[in-house]
């Protein structure tokens, strides 16, 4: 069994370690996570290992991206298992700060990113991207990596953090990795742990519906009609849909032209669990 | 005559130059300005020279901290004279980016700092500190100095950027310098250039009124009464007062206890020119 990676919880220890990596001439890749690591996260860490000589994984369940009624307190926390998984990948450093290290007394700053954060998730979780942009901005500033690896599973988030890095001159190249799925198509997510057996059986419908819509659009169907059909498929299995949408894959703006790159995105509730997914057309 | 300092306009050239300073083992101090430099700015640059081996002055009239009806277009721009003044101080580098370098196409990020930005200036210029926090955050990230020097003349701004640096882990020590004044007490400001002869004669009343209020409070007068008297003095000379206030000198929160450190702050219009000032008690 591989040695567990070194874990630091303080910004100054993170900076000292990353400074050491850079002094060796290494490039550094950061994988920001909220822990509860699954094969999707492992793939992100493997990608980080591939593109940089040194890999840092942060584990921080960020309170500011949850609204009061959301699942912050029940969000799975599995640090020990997480460390074993990261050891197997050969991650060099785990940064697991406390909430007070990230948000000390009197903390009052907030980073907002407009543009790609408009609509979709923001219509249903208006606090979300402000919380994400602030914590990712801080992680980028604290760690100062060359690369950061995010999953396409949170596609809108990927666009937001890409814009964030560019707009604040953070110098971090954001790398997106295609979503890892179960055999039946369900996108891997820490929140899948909330699903009971029956829900787990139904959950892949989001992916299936999006995949059919993508096929329909590729065959010439109008995006609006394909999206409406997908929504109907998901609702037919009893899920409560927040949105199913076809958007410009780069800007996430509503579609205007034929021929622009299209991404299909959806969010829906299965009981008390909110699932999201997206695919390219 | 001293050689003019080197001027760069691109982030990458700024980073290369500052990287060079750091490679020499120098500490770097940044003085962010909007140009139109006066003796107050010169004092900031001199302070920077005193605390660090290398000094960078940025000159950027930041459009995002002006509202549409404000004086962005008529704000004085005097780059050549500015450079001569900075040469005399021995500044090493001037960073004068274009608006497109700071805010490229699609720019969508915004940094907000709550806490010290609440009230006072924000009640009258609600866009202001968002614009300041965003541009100063970007300047700190772009330049990555050890120190940044700001004048106490913009006291609330000084508190906001101090909070900003701490909250976003920017690692910049913010140093405040007491306000430089004309002989009659008027705080130096680039906006004093807007005043006609008669207005210039009247303008010191803001300082005089605050100084009397500070004396009264030191002699045991209640802060509320002292502030009301100061407001009356300023209005008696025909200025339109935005605010005169006594606040906690550290947090800028309204006063609660006897014995907390007090700062008096005021903003008032003299014709079309808005003047601000503040003093310790």
């Amino acid at each position: 069994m591989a040695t567990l990676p070194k874990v630091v919880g303080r910004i100054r220890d993170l900076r000292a370690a990353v400074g050491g990596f850079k002094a060796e001439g290494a490039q550094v890749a950061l994988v920001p996570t909220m822990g509860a690591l699954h094969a999707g996260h492992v793939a992100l860490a493997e990608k980080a290992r591939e593109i940089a000589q040194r890999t840092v994984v942060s584990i921080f369940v960020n309170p500011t991206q949850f609204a009061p009624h959301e699942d912050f307190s029940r969000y799975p926390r599995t640090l020990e298992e997480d460390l074993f998984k990261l050891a197997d990948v050969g991650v060099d450093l785990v940064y697991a700060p406390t909430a007070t290290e990230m948000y000390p007394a009197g903390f009052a700053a907030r980073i907002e990113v407009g543009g790609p954060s408009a609509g979709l998730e923001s219509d249903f979780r208006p606090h979300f991207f402000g919380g994400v942009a602030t914590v990712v901005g801080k992680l980028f500033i604290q760690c100062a990596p060359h690369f950061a690896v995010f999953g396409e599973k949170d596609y809108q988030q990927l666009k937001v953090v890409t814009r964030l890095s560019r707009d604040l001159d953070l110098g971090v190249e954001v790398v997106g990795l295609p979503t890892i799925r179960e055999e039946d198509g369900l996108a891997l997510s820490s929140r899948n742990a909330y699903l009971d057996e029956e829900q787990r059986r139904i959950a892949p419908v989001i992916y299936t519906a999006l995949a059919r819509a993508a096929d329909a659009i590729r065959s010439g169907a109008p995006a609006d009609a394909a999206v409406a059909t997908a929504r109907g498929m998901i609702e037919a299995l009893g899920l409560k849909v927040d949105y199913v949408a076809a958007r410009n894959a780069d800007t996430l703006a509503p579609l205007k032209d034929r021929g622009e790159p299209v991404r299909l995105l959806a969010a829906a509730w299965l009981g008390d669990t909110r699932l999201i997914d997206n695919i390219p057309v």
Side-chain angles (χ1 to χ4, degrees), chain A:
Chain A
M1 195 180 62
T3 325
L4 289 187
K6 187 180 173 191
V7 181
V8 297
R10 318 271 329 209
I11 298 166
R12 64 162 180 268
D13 297 327
L14 171 69
R15 285 188 165 144
V18 171
F21 297 157
K22 290 182 177 176
E24 296 163 2
Q27 289 202 299
V28 177
L30 171 69
V31 183
T33 82
M34 299 208 300
L37 304 182
H38 50 61
H41 297 108
V42 169
L44 299 180
E46 283 167 347
K47 180 72 178 178
R49 289 259 302 164
E50 187 188 313
I51 59 181
Q53 292 79 48
R54 292 291 196 166
T55 299
V56 181
V57 172
S58 66
I59 297 182
F60 180 62
V61 186
N62 177 35
T64 72
Q65 69 195 67
F66 292 79
H69 62 277
E70 288 184 345
D71 59 342
F72 174 69
S73 58
R74 73 161 178 157
Y75 197 88
R77 286 159 173 89
T78 58
L79 184 60
E80 199 177 345
E81 293 135 75
D82 292 348
L83 295 180
F84 282 110
K85 287 176 187 163
L86 297 175
D88 289 341
V89 183
V91 162
D92 298 289
L93 187 72
V94 170
Y95 174 50
T98 60
T100 16
E101 184 75 1
M102 290 301 271
Y103 305 115
F107 183 86
R110 187 165 181 84
I111 302 174
E112 297 276 354
V113 178
S117 75
L120 301 171
E121 287 299 295
S122 292
D123 288 341
F124 299 90
R125 306 183 72 197
H127 57 284
F128 180 64
F129 284 120
V132 167
T134 304
V135 78
V136 172
K138 281 174 65 77
L139 287 170
F140 283 9
I141 290 165
Q142 290 169 359
C143 181
H146 300 83
F147 303 97
V149 187
F150 287 82
E152 288 186 353
K153 156 71 161 41
D154 296 276
Y155 192 78
Q156 192 177 10
Q157 169 179 277
L158 174 63
K159 294 298 172 183
V160 168
V161 300
T162 302
R163 185 84 245 174
L164 167 74
S165 178
R166 196 180 319 158
D167 283 357
L168 294 188
D169 318 298
L170 293 170
V172 179
E173 185 178 329
V174 174
V175 176
L177 201 68
T179 304
I180 309 291
R181 301 181 179 282
E182 303 283 3
E183 279 192 19
D184 59 8
L186 177 65
L188 295 197
S189 164
S190 305
R191 289 191 170 98
N192 293 349
Y194 301 154
L195 302 175
D196 65 26
E197 204 175 321
E198 169 66 6
Q199 290 172 328
R200 174 62 192 81
R201 201 182 54 72
I202 293 169
V205 68
I206 300 177
Y207 172 71
T208 315
L210 291 180
R212 281 212 204 162
D215 282 344
I217 293 170
R218 275 188 289 263
S219 308
D224 283 1
V227 158
T229 306
R231 185 179 187 112
M233 270 184 72
I234 298 169
E235 289 176 338
L237 287 190
L239 287 81
K240 193 186 136 298
V241 169
D242 275 351
Y243 61 83
V244 180
R247 292 294 183 96
N248 180 295
D250 297 325
T251 63
L252 293 182
L255 298 179
K256 279 182 295 198
D257 311 314
R258 285 257 156 211
E260 63 187 313
V262 177
R263 195 93 187 176
L264 297 174
L265 308 99
W269 290 88
L270 185 46
D272 293 333
T273 303
R274 189 171 183 276
L275 299 174
I276 65 173
D277 202 348
N278 68 87
I279 62 169
V281 172

